[in-house]
Amino acid sequence: MKFLTTNFLKCAVPACDSSNDNFPLHYIGEKCQLQQDESLEFNAQFLLRILDRVDWNAVVAVAHDLGNSSLPAAKPELPREPEQLSEEQMVILRDLHTLFVQTSIAEGEMQCRNCGQIYYIKNSIPNLLLPPHLA
């Protein structure tokens, strides 16, 4: 599961829909196995578009869960078009590419901050199916 995917997952328990603690899920860092795939090509335009859509606070929280506390608290301000990027901004975008696209969670556990439901990641696939008593 790509790191970027963590920004789009929330608890599947219906009772958690009314809570703000159902997103982002808490990633249990010591149980998460990360992988890097450096073969994935850098696409500046994709990253600039997706950066507008991510919840930056969730990105920072999940990165922290996984042991990365180096992200700034505020979302980087970048131009909308790749041609307008300065060299410094291009470095930031390449770092985000490494985090969002090249970093995957191969195995691990995610937990709802509201109800405590645990979801497992196996073979890079998150399982958000609920047991019948919670569905």
Side-chain angles (χ1 to χ4, degrees):
M1 176 178 82
K2 301 279 183 230
F3 180 91
L4 183 58
T5 306
T6 66
N7 208 258
F8 302 101
L9 299 179
K10 67 177 190 166
C11 183
V13 174
C16 288
D17 278 342
S18 62
S19 170
N20 288 332
D21 289 331
N22 68 342
F23 173 83
L25 295 172
H26 170 65
Y27 291 78
I28 304 169
E30 62 274 6
K31 294 188 178 184
C32 289
Q33 177 187 352
L34 302 179
Q35 291 179 335
Q36 292 290 123
D37 183 355
E38 296 177 9
S39 70
L40 299 170
E41 290 186 32
F42 175 73
N43 182 331
Q45 188 164 11
F46 167 77
L47 289 164
L48 289 171
R49 298 295 181 259
I50 202 70
L51 194 57
D52 285 341
R53 292 170 172 83
V54 298
D55 181 316
W56 187 256
N57 291 333
V59 168
V60 171
V62 172
H64 188 266
D65 287 349
L66 297 173
N68 179 345
S69 56
S70 64
L71 293 176
K75 185 187 294 189
E77 294 291 328
L78 299 172
R80 301 226 3 111
E81 298 301 324
E83 304 81 36
Q84 299 170 338
L85 290 165
S86 68
E87 284 185 41
E88 182 179 313
Q89 291 170 327
M90 188 63 84
V91 169
I92 291 168
L93 206 58
R94 287 192 181 279
D95 287 345
L96 290 174
H97 167 74
T98 299
L99 178 64
F100 287 172
V101 180
Q102 292 182 334
T103 303
S104 294
I105 304 171
E107 306 286 331
E109 293 181 13
M110 312 171 284
Q111 184 174 27
C112 178
R113 297 172 196 266
N114 184 56
C115 71
Q117 174 67 31
I118 293 179
Y119 301 96
Y120 297 96
I121 304 165
K122 300 279 185 200
N123 299 319
S124 296
I125 301 170
N127 182 351
L128 295 169
L129 296 176
L130 294 172
H133 70 281
L134 291 175

